[in-house]
Amino acid sequence: MTYDRLVCANCAAPVSEGRCPVCRANRERLQQEGPFGGLSPVALLTLLVILVAAVALLAHQTA
Ligand SMILES: [Zn+2]
């Protein structure tokens, strides 16, 4: 989804210009939508912790 034409409800300027905190927050949120689009940073962090724990467990078993 492109945000080029989105207008901020707070300052009525294009969100892409980032004139107010609401614009910048929306812009960052939209820019973060990539392969992990629907996931929140907390969810990503949780996945990372699980991954590190799994690797540590495997390393412990093979040692
Ligand atoms: Zn704004």
Side-chain angles (χ1 to χ4, degrees):
M1 173 180 178
T2 179
Y3 58 90
D4 288 343
R5 295 170 191 274
L6 278 180
V7 174
C8 178
N10 190 47
C11 67
V15 168
S16 59
E17 292 184 14
R19 290 187 184 182
C20 78
V22 175
C23 289
R24 289 191 285 272
N26 278 324
R27 191 174 55 174
E28 279 188 21
R29 184 172 55 83
L30 291 167
Q31 282 178 340
Q32 282 172 358
E33 285 185 6
F36 302 106
L39 289 177
S40 67
V42 175
L44 286 174
L45 196 66
T46 305
L47 280 174
L48 188 67
V49 169
I50 291 172
L51 194 67
V52 169
V55 169
L57 198 66
L58 284 173
H60 183 71
Q61 284 177 347
T62 54

Short mmCIF file of all heavy atoms in Angstrom, two decimals:
data_model
loop_
_atom_site.label_atom_id
_atom_site.label_comp_id
_atom_site.label_asym_id
_atom_site.label_seq_id
_atom_site.Cartn_x
_atom_site.Cartn_y
_atom_site.Cartn_z
N MET A 1 0.84 -1.20 0.00
CA MET A 1 0.00 0.00 0.00
C MET A 1 0.87 1.24 0.00
O MET A 1 1.82 1.37 0.75
CB MET A 1 -0.89 -0.01 1.25
CG MET A 1 -1.68 1.27 1.43
SD MET A 1 -2.69 1.21 2.89
CE MET A 1 -3.38 2.87 2.80
N THR A 2 0.52 2.20 -0.84
CA THR A 2 1.28 3.45 -0.88
C THR A 2 0.64 4.49 0.03
O THR A 2 -0.56 4.53 0.20
CB THR A 2 1.35 3.99 -2.31
OG1 THR A 2 2.07 5.22 -2.29
CG2 THR A 2 -0.02 4.25 -2.89
N TYR A 3 1.47 5.31 0.62
CA TYR A 3 0.94 6.34 1.52
C TYR A 3 1.11 7.73 0.91
O TYR A 3 0.90 8.72 1.57
CB TYR A 3 1.62 6.27 2.88
CG TYR A 3 3.12 6.43 2.81
CD1 TYR A 3 3.72 7.67 2.90
CD2 TYR A 3 3.93 5.31 2.67
CE1 TYR A 3 5.10 7.80 2.82
CE2 TYR A 3 5.29 5.43 2.60
CZ TYR A 3 5.87 6.68 2.67
OH TYR A 3 7.23 6.80 2.60
N ASP A 4 1.51 7.76 -0.36
CA ASP A 4 1.78 9.04 -1.01
C ASP A 4 0.59 9.99 -0.99
O ASP A 4 0.74 11.19 -0.87
CB ASP A 4 2.19 8.80 -2.46
CG ASP A 4 3.58 8.19 -2.55
OD1 ASP A 4 4.30 8.26 -1.55
OD2 ASP A 4 3.91 7.64 -3.61
N ARG A 5 -0.61 9.40 -1.10
CA ARG A 5 -1.81 10.24 -1.20
C ARG A 5 -2.59 10.31 0.11
O ARG A 5 -3.65 10.93 0.15
CB ARG A 5 -2.72 9.71 -2.31
CG ARG A 5 -2.08 9.82 -3.68
CD ARG A 5 -2.88 9.07 -4.71
NE ARG A 5 -2.15 8.96 -5.98
CZ ARG A 5 -2.16 9.88 -6.93
NH1 ARG A 5 -2.87 10.96 -6.78
NH2 ARG A 5 -1.48 9.71 -8.03
N LEU A 6 -2.07 9.69 1.14
CA LEU A 6 -2.77 9.75 2.41
C LEU A 6 -2.66 11.13 3.02
O LEU A 6 -1.59 11.73 3.04
CB LEU A 6 -2.17 8.74 3.40
CG LEU A 6 -2.64 7.30 3.25
CD1 LEU A 6 -1.95 6.44 4.30
CD2 LEU A 6 -4.14 7.21 3.44
N VAL A 7 -3.79 11.62 3.53
CA VAL A 7 -3.79 12.93 4.20
C VAL A 7 -3.98 12.71 5.69
O VAL A 7 -4.85 11.96 6.12
CB VAL A 7 -4.92 13.82 3.63
CG1 VAL A 7 -5.01 15.12 4.42
CG2 VAL A 7 -4.66 14.12 2.16
N CYS A 8 -3.15 13.38 6.47
CA CYS A 8 -3.18 13.23 7.92
C CYS A 8 -4.47 13.82 8.51
O CYS A 8 -4.87 14.93 8.16
CB CYS A 8 -1.96 13.92 8.52
SG CYS A 8 -1.92 13.87 10.31
N ALA A 9 -5.07 13.09 9.45
CA ALA A 9 -6.28 13.58 10.10
C ALA A 9 -5.94 14.66 11.13
O ALA A 9 -6.80 15.42 11.55
CB ALA A 9 -7.00 12.43 10.79
N ASN A 10 -4.68 14.73 11.52
CA ASN A 10 -4.27 15.68 12.56
C ASN A 10 -3.89 17.04 11.98
O ASN A 10 -4.32 18.07 12.48
CB ASN A 10 -3.10 15.08 13.34
CG ASN A 10 -2.78 15.89 14.57
OD1 ASN A 10 -3.67 16.26 15.33
ND2 ASN A 10 -1.51 16.17 14.78
N CYS A 11 -3.09 17.05 10.93
CA CYS A 11 -2.60 18.32 10.39
C CYS A 11 -3.07 18.58 8.96
O CYS A 11 -2.78 19.62 8.40
CB CYS A 11 -1.08 18.36 10.45
SG CYS A 11 -0.29 17.17 9.36
N ALA A 12 -3.79 17.61 8.37
CA ALA A 12 -4.36 17.76 7.03
C ALA A 12 -3.32 17.94 5.95
O ALA A 12 -3.61 18.40 4.85
CB ALA A 12 -5.38 18.91 6.99
N ALA A 13 -2.08 17.60 6.23
CA ALA A 13 -1.02 17.62 5.22
C ALA A 13 -0.77 16.18 4.78
O ALA A 13 -1.14 15.24 5.48
CB ALA A 13 0.25 18.22 5.80
N PRO A 14 -0.13 15.99 3.62
CA PRO A 14 0.19 14.62 3.18
C PRO A 14 1.05 13.91 4.22
O PRO A 14 2.04 14.47 4.72
CB PRO A 14 0.97 14.84 1.88
CG PRO A 14 0.51 16.17 1.38
CD PRO A 14 0.26 16.99 2.62
N VAL A 15 0.67 12.68 4.56
CA VAL A 15 1.42 11.92 5.57
C VAL A 15 2.87 11.76 5.16
O VAL A 15 3.77 11.76 6.01
CB VAL A 15 0.74 10.54 5.77
CG1 VAL A 15 1.61 9.60 6.58
CG2 VAL A 15 -0.61 10.73 6.46
N SER A 16 3.12 11.66 3.84
CA SER A 16 4.49 11.45 3.36
C SER A 16 5.42 12.61 3.70
O SER A 16 6.63 12.46 3.72
CB SER A 16 4.48 11.22 1.85
OG SER A 16 3.92 12.33 1.19
N GLU A 17 4.85 13.78 4.00
CA GLU A 17 5.69 14.93 4.36
C GLU A 17 6.11 14.90 5.83
O GLU A 17 7.05 15.58 6.23
CB GLU A 17 4.96 16.23 4.06
CG GLU A 17 4.77 16.45 2.56
CD GLU A 17 4.13 17.80 2.27
OE1 GLU A 17 4.08 18.65 3.18
OE2 GLU A 17 3.69 17.99 1.12
N GLY A 18 5.39 14.15 6.66
CA GLY A 18 5.77 13.99 8.06
C GLY A 18 5.79 15.28 8.84
O GLY A 18 6.73 15.54 9.60
N ARG A 19 4.77 16.10 8.71
CA ARG A 19 4.77 17.41 9.37
C ARG A 19 4.46 17.36 10.86
O ARG A 19 4.79 18.29 11.58
CB ARG A 19 3.76 18.31 8.68
CG ARG A 19 4.19 18.71 7.29
CD ARG A 19 3.24 19.73 6.73
NE ARG A 19 3.59 20.06 5.34
CZ ARG A 19 2.93 20.97 4.62
NH1 ARG A 19 1.91 21.60 5.15
NH2 ARG A 19 3.30 21.21 3.40
N CYS A 20 3.78 16.34 11.31
CA CYS A 20 3.43 16.25 12.73
C CYS A 20 3.71 14.84 13.24
O CYS A 20 3.96 13.93 12.44
CB CYS A 20 1.95 16.63 12.94
SG CYS A 20 0.80 15.33 12.48
N PRO A 21 3.71 14.64 14.55
CA PRO A 21 4.02 13.31 15.10
C PRO A 21 3.09 12.23 14.58
O PRO A 21 3.52 11.08 14.39
CB PRO A 21 3.83 13.51 16.61
CG PRO A 21 4.08 14.96 16.83
CD PRO A 21 3.56 15.66 15.60
N VAL A 22 1.83 12.57 14.34
CA VAL A 22 0.89 11.58 13.81
C VAL A 22 1.31 11.15 12.41
O VAL A 22 1.29 9.96 12.08
CB VAL A 22 -0.54 12.16 13.80
CG1 VAL A 22 -1.51 11.17 13.14
CG2 VAL A 22 -1.00 12.47 15.22
N CYS A 23 1.71 12.12 11.59
CA CYS A 23 2.21 11.81 10.25
C CYS A 23 3.41 10.88 10.32
O CYS A 23 3.47 9.88 9.61
CB CYS A 23 2.65 13.09 9.53
SG CYS A 23 1.32 14.18 9.04
N ARG A 24 4.35 11.24 11.16
CA ARG A 24 5.59 10.45 11.23
C ARG A 24 5.32 9.04 11.72
O ARG A 24 5.92 8.08 11.23
CB ARG A 24 6.61 11.16 12.11
CG ARG A 24 7.16 12.41 11.43
CD ARG A 24 8.35 12.96 12.15
NE ARG A 24 7.98 13.64 13.38
CZ ARG A 24 7.66 14.93 13.45
NH1 ARG A 24 7.67 15.67 12.36
NH2 ARG A 24 7.34 15.49 14.59
N ALA A 25 4.41 8.92 12.69
CA ALA A 25 4.07 7.59 13.21
C ALA A 25 3.42 6.75 12.13
O ALA A 25 3.76 5.58 11.94
CB ALA A 25 3.14 7.72 14.41
N ASN A 26 2.50 7.35 11.39
CA ASN A 26 1.84 6.62 10.31
C ASN A 26 2.83 6.24 9.22
O ASN A 26 2.80 5.14 8.69
CB ASN A 26 0.72 7.47 9.70
CG ASN A 26 -0.55 7.38 10.52
OD1 ASN A 26 -0.87 6.33 11.06
ND2 ASN A 26 -1.28 8.48 10.62
N ARG A 27 3.71 7.17 8.90
CA ARG A 27 4.68 6.92 7.84
C ARG A 27 5.60 5.76 8.23
O ARG A 27 5.86 4.86 7.44
CB ARG A 27 5.51 8.18 7.60
CG ARG A 27 6.36 8.10 6.36
CD ARG A 27 7.03 9.40 6.07
NE ARG A 27 7.81 9.88 7.20
CZ ARG A 27 8.58 10.95 7.17
NH1 ARG A 27 8.67 11.67 6.08
NH2 ARG A 27 9.27 11.32 8.23
N GLU A 28 6.08 5.76 9.48
CA GLU A 28 6.95 4.69 9.93
C GLU A 28 6.23 3.35 9.91
O GLU A 28 6.77 2.35 9.49
CB GLU A 28 7.46 4.98 11.34
CG GLU A 28 8.63 5.93 11.33
CD GLU A 28 9.23 6.07 12.71
OE1 GLU A 28 9.01 5.17 13.54
OE2 GLU A 28 9.91 7.07 12.96
N ARG A 29 4.98 3.39 10.38
CA ARG A 29 4.21 2.14 10.43
C ARG A 29 4.01 1.59 9.02
O ARG A 29 4.17 0.38 8.80
CB ARG A 29 2.86 2.41 11.08
CG ARG A 29 2.00 1.18 11.27
CD ARG A 29 0.77 1.49 12.10
NE ARG A 29 -0.02 2.59 11.55
CZ ARG A 29 -0.91 2.45 10.57
NH1 ARG A 29 -1.12 1.26 10.06
NH2 ARG A 29 -1.58 3.47 10.12
N LEU A 30 3.72 2.46 8.07
CA LEU A 30 3.47 2.00 6.70
C LEU A 30 4.77 1.54 6.04
O LEU A 30 4.77 0.61 5.25
CB LEU A 30 2.83 3.13 5.89
CG LEU A 30 1.40 3.44 6.32
CD1 LEU A 30 0.93 4.75 5.71
CD2 LEU A 30 0.46 2.31 5.93
N GLN A 31 5.87 2.21 6.36
CA GLN A 31 7.14 1.84 5.75
C GLN A 31 7.65 0.51 6.28
O GLN A 31 8.39 -0.18 5.61
CB GLN A 31 8.19 2.92 6.03
CG GLN A 31 8.02 4.13 5.11
CD GLN A 31 9.03 5.22 5.40
OE1 GLN A 31 9.60 5.27 6.49
NE2 GLN A 31 9.24 6.11 4.46
N GLN A 32 7.23 0.16 7.50
CA GLN A 32 7.70 -1.09 8.08
C GLN A 32 7.01 -2.30 7.49
O GLN A 32 7.43 -3.42 7.72
CB GLN A 32 7.48 -1.07 9.60
CG GLN A 32 8.54 -0.25 10.31
CD GLN A 32 8.21 -0.05 11.78
OE1 GLN A 32 7.17 -0.51 12.25
NE2 GLN A 32 9.07 0.63 12.50
N GLU A 33 5.96 -2.08 6.73
CA GLU A 33 5.24 -3.20 6.16
C GLU A 33 6.05 -3.83 5.04
O GLU A 33 6.10 -3.33 3.94
CB GLU A 33 3.88 -2.74 5.65
CG GLU A 33 2.92 -2.49 6.78
CD GLU A 33 1.53 -2.16 6.28
OE1 GLU A 33 1.31 -2.24 5.07
OE2 GLU A 33 0.68 -1.82 7.11
N GLY A 34 6.69 -4.92 5.36
CA GLY A 34 7.46 -5.66 4.37
C GLY A 34 7.05 -7.11 4.45
O GLY A 34 5.86 -7.39 4.51
N PRO A 35 8.02 -8.02 4.44
CA PRO A 35 7.71 -9.44 4.56
C PRO A 35 6.96 -9.77 5.84
O PRO A 35 6.18 -10.70 5.90
CB PRO A 35 9.08 -10.11 4.56
CG PRO A 35 9.99 -9.11 3.94
CD PRO A 35 9.43 -7.76 4.29
N PHE A 36 7.21 -8.96 6.88
CA PHE A 36 6.57 -9.19 8.17
C PHE A 36 5.48 -8.16 8.43
O PHE A 36 5.23 -7.76 9.56
CB PHE A 36 7.60 -9.16 9.30
CG PHE A 36 8.70 -10.16 9.12
CD1 PHE A 36 9.96 -9.75 8.72
CD2 PHE A 36 8.48 -11.51 9.34
CE1 PHE A 36 10.98 -10.67 8.53
CE2 PHE A 36 9.49 -12.44 9.14
CZ PHE A 36 10.74 -12.01 8.74
N GLY A 37 4.83 -7.71 7.38
CA GLY A 37 3.87 -6.62 7.44
C GLY A 37 2.93 -6.60 8.60
O GLY A 37 2.77 -5.58 9.24
N GLY A 38 2.28 -7.72 8.90
CA GLY A 38 1.25 -7.71 9.94
C GLY A 38 1.79 -7.85 11.34
O GLY A 38 1.04 -7.69 12.30
N LEU A 39 3.10 -8.12 11.47
CA LEU A 39 3.64 -8.39 12.80
C LEU A 39 4.09 -7.11 13.50
O LEU A 39 4.68 -6.24 12.89
CB LEU A 39 4.83 -9.33 12.69
CG LEU A 39 4.49 -10.78 12.30
CD1 LEU A 39 5.77 -11.57 12.14
CD2 LEU A 39 3.61 -11.42 13.35
N SER A 40 3.84 -7.05 14.79
CA SER A 40 4.28 -5.91 15.57
C SER A 40 5.73 -6.15 16.00
O SER A 40 6.22 -7.27 15.98
CB SER A 40 3.42 -5.77 16.81
OG SER A 40 3.63 -6.87 17.67
N PRO A 41 6.44 -5.09 16.40
CA PRO A 41 7.81 -5.25 16.89
C PRO A 41 7.89 -6.23 18.04
O PRO A 41 8.86 -6.98 18.17
CB PRO A 41 8.18 -3.83 17.34
CG PRO A 41 7.34 -2.94 16.51
CD PRO A 41 6.04 -3.68 16.31
N VAL A 42 6.88 -6.24 18.90
CA VAL A 42 6.87 -7.19 20.03
C VAL A 42 6.82 -8.61 19.53
O VAL A 42 7.52 -9.49 20.03
CB VAL A 42 5.68 -6.88 20.97
CG1 VAL A 42 5.60 -7.94 22.08
CG2 VAL A 42 5.82 -5.50 21.57
N ALA A 43 6.00 -8.85 18.52
CA ALA A 43 5.90 -10.19 17.96
C ALA A 43 7.22 -10.61 17.33
O ALA A 43 7.66 -11.75 17.48
CB ALA A 43 4.78 -10.24 16.93
N LEU A 44 7.87 -9.68 16.64
CA LEU A 44 9.16 -9.99 16.02
C LEU A 44 10.20 -10.30 17.09
O LEU A 44 11.00 -11.22 16.95
CB LEU A 44 9.62 -8.80 15.18
CG LEU A 44 8.87 -8.63 13.85
CD1 LEU A 44 9.32 -7.34 13.17
CD2 LEU A 44 9.13 -9.80 12.94
N LEU A 45 10.18 -9.52 18.18
CA LEU A 45 11.13 -9.73 19.27
C LEU A 45 10.90 -11.10 19.91
O LEU A 45 11.84 -11.82 20.23
CB LEU A 45 10.97 -8.61 20.30
CG LEU A 45 12.12 -8.48 21.29
CD1 LEU A 45 13.39 -8.05 20.57
CD2 LEU A 45 11.78 -7.46 22.36
N THR A 46 9.64 -11.45 20.09
CA THR A 46 9.30 -12.75 20.66
C THR A 46 9.82 -13.88 19.77
O THR A 46 10.41 -14.84 20.27
CB THR A 46 7.78 -12.87 20.83
OG1 THR A 46 7.32 -11.79 21.61
CG2 THR A 46 7.41 -14.18 21.51
N LEU A 47 9.63 -13.73 18.47
CA LEU A 47 10.14 -14.74 17.54
C LEU A 47 11.65 -14.86 17.64
O LEU A 47 12.21 -15.96 17.62
CB LEU A 47 9.75 -14.36 16.11
CG LEU A 47 8.31 -14.69 15.71
CD1 LEU A 47 8.03 -14.13 14.32
CD2 LEU A 47 8.09 -16.19 15.72
N LEU A 48 12.32 -13.71 17.77
CA LEU A 48 13.78 -13.70 17.87
C LEU A 48 14.24 -14.43 19.12
O LEU A 48 15.17 -15.23 19.09
CB LEU A 48 14.27 -12.25 17.88
CG LEU A 48 15.79 -12.08 17.77
CD1 LEU A 48 16.29 -12.54 16.40
CD2 LEU A 48 16.18 -10.63 18.00
N VAL A 49 13.57 -14.16 20.24
CA VAL A 49 13.92 -14.81 21.52
C VAL A 49 13.74 -16.31 21.40
O VAL A 49 14.59 -17.09 21.84
CB VAL A 49 13.07 -14.22 22.66
CG1 VAL A 49 13.21 -15.06 23.92
CG2 VAL A 49 13.49 -12.78 22.93
N ILE A 50 12.63 -16.74 20.79
CA ILE A 50 12.37 -18.17 20.62
C ILE A 50 13.47 -18.80 19.76
O ILE A 50 13.97 -19.89 20.04
CB ILE A 50 10.98 -18.38 19.99
CG1 ILE A 50 9.89 -17.99 21.00
CG2 ILE A 50 10.79 -19.83 19.55
CD1 ILE A 50 8.50 -17.97 20.41
N LEU A 51 13.86 -18.09 18.71
CA LEU A 51 14.89 -18.60 17.81
C LEU A 51 16.22 -18.77 18.54
O LEU A 51 16.89 -19.80 18.43
CB LEU A 51 15.05 -17.63 16.64
CG LEU A 51 15.83 -18.15 15.43
CD1 LEU A 51 15.06 -19.28 14.76
CD2 LEU A 51 16.06 -17.03 14.44
N VAL A 52 16.60 -17.74 19.32
CA VAL A 52 17.86 -17.80 20.06
C VAL A 52 17.82 -18.93 21.08
O VAL A 52 18.78 -19.68 21.25
CB VAL A 52 18.12 -16.44 20.77
CG1 VAL A 52 19.28 -16.57 21.76
CG2 VAL A 52 18.43 -15.38 19.72
N ALA A 53 16.67 -19.10 21.75
CA ALA A 53 16.53 -20.17 22.73
C ALA A 53 16.67 -21.53 22.07
O ALA A 53 17.31 -22.44 22.60
CB ALA A 53 15.18 -20.04 23.43
N ALA A 54 16.08 -21.69 20.89
CA ALA A 54 16.16 -22.95 20.16
C ALA A 54 17.59 -23.25 19.75
O ALA A 54 18.07 -24.39 19.90
CB ALA A 54 15.25 -22.90 18.93
N VAL A 55 18.31 -22.25 19.28
CA VAL A 55 19.72 -22.42 18.87
C VAL A 55 20.56 -22.79 20.08
O VAL A 55 21.40 -23.69 20.04
CB VAL A 55 20.24 -21.14 18.20
CG1 VAL A 55 21.75 -21.23 18.02
CG2 VAL A 55 19.57 -20.95 16.84
N ALA A 56 20.32 -22.13 21.21
CA ALA A 56 21.08 -22.40 22.42
C ALA A 56 20.81 -23.82 22.90
O ALA A 56 21.71 -24.53 23.34
CB ALA A 56 20.69 -21.40 23.51
N LEU A 57 19.57 -24.25 22.79
CA LEU A 57 19.20 -25.60 23.20
C LEU A 57 19.90 -26.64 22.33
O LEU A 57 20.45 -27.61 22.81
CB LEU A 57 17.67 -25.75 23.08
CG LEU A 57 17.05 -26.92 23.86
CD1 LEU A 57 17.22 -26.69 25.36
CD2 LEU A 57 15.58 -27.05 23.50
N LEU A 58 19.92 -26.40 21.01
CA LEU A 58 20.58 -27.31 20.09
C LEU A 58 22.07 -27.37 20.37
O LEU A 58 22.68 -28.45 20.38
CB LEU A 58 20.34 -26.87 18.65
CG LEU A 58 18.93 -27.19 18.11
CD1 LEU A 58 18.76 -26.56 16.73
CD2 LEU A 58 18.72 -28.69 18.02
N ALA A 59 22.68 -26.21 20.61
CA ALA A 59 24.11 -26.16 20.88
C ALA A 59 24.42 -26.92 22.16
O ALA A 59 25.44 -27.60 22.27
CB ALA A 59 24.54 -24.71 21.00
N HIS A 60 23.54 -26.81 23.13
CA HIS A 60 23.75 -27.50 24.40
C HIS A 60 23.65 -29.03 24.20
O HIS A 60 24.42 -29.77 24.80
CB HIS A 60 22.69 -27.04 25.40
CG HIS A 60 22.85 -27.63 26.76
ND1 HIS A 60 23.88 -27.29 27.61
CD2 HIS A 60 22.13 -28.57 27.41
CE1 HIS A 60 23.76 -27.99 28.73
NE2 HIS A 60 22.71 -28.78 28.63
N GLN A 61 22.74 -29.45 23.37
CA GLN A 61 22.53 -30.89 23.16
C GLN A 61 23.70 -31.53 22.42
O GLN A 61 24.04 -32.67 22.67
CB GLN A 61 21.23 -31.12 22.38
CG GLN A 61 20.01 -30.95 23.28
CD GLN A 61 18.72 -31.11 22.49
OE1 GLN A 61 18.73 -31.09 21.27
NE2 GLN A 61 17.62 -31.26 23.18
N THR A 62 24.28 -30.78 21.48
CA THR A 62 25.35 -31.36 20.68
C THR A 62 26.71 -31.26 21.37
O THR A 62 27.65 -31.91 20.98
CB THR A 62 25.41 -30.68 19.31
OG1 THR A 62 25.53 -29.29 19.51
CG2 THR A 62 24.18 -30.98 18.50
N ALA A 63 26.81 -30.41 22.39
CA ALA A 63 28.10 -30.19 23.07
C ALA A 63 28.43 -31.38 23.99
O ALA A 63 27.53 -32.03 24.51
CB ALA A 63 28.06 -28.92 23.87
ZN ZN B 1 0.01 15.13 10.45
#
